[in-house]
Amino acid sequence: TAYDIGLGIPAEPLFRSVCDVCGRVEDFHVPDEFEQQVAALVEVAADGGFRVEAHRFDMLGRCADCR
């Protein structure tokens, strides 16, 4: 994943599963429909005067090894 060095945020959307126990992190892909819904949320933010420059989505829980 490429990061914007100045902001520390991914240059591309980042979707990750993160284990709360061991800290394991894995990237995953989401369906296009999910990205379309995120785009709609970005528009809502823009309507409120906020400019979104990047987004990320983390799913928190326990990996198979820590369950």
Side-chain angles (χ1 to χ4, degrees):
T1 303
Y3 285 81
D4 180 308
I5 295 173
L7 300 175
I9 21 183
E12 295 293 322
L14 179 61
F15 303 95
R16 309 179 303 176
S17 55
V18 181
C19 180
D20 288 330
V21 177
C22 71
R24 181 180 182 171
V25 177
E26 291 193 16
D27 293 346
F28 63 92
H29 295 288
V30 298
D32 289 339
E33 294 81 15
F34 184 87
E35 275 294 335
Q36 291 168 357
Q37 298 224 350
V38 170
L41 293 173
V42 168
E43 287 183 32
V44 169
D47 290 345
F50 188 83
R51 184 180 71 189
V52 175
E53 295 180 356
H55 70 274
R56 66 180 185 204
F57 179 80
D58 293 347
M59 295 182 67
L60 308 176
R62 294 184 182 203
C63 70
D65 293 338
C66 293
R67 280 188 272 173

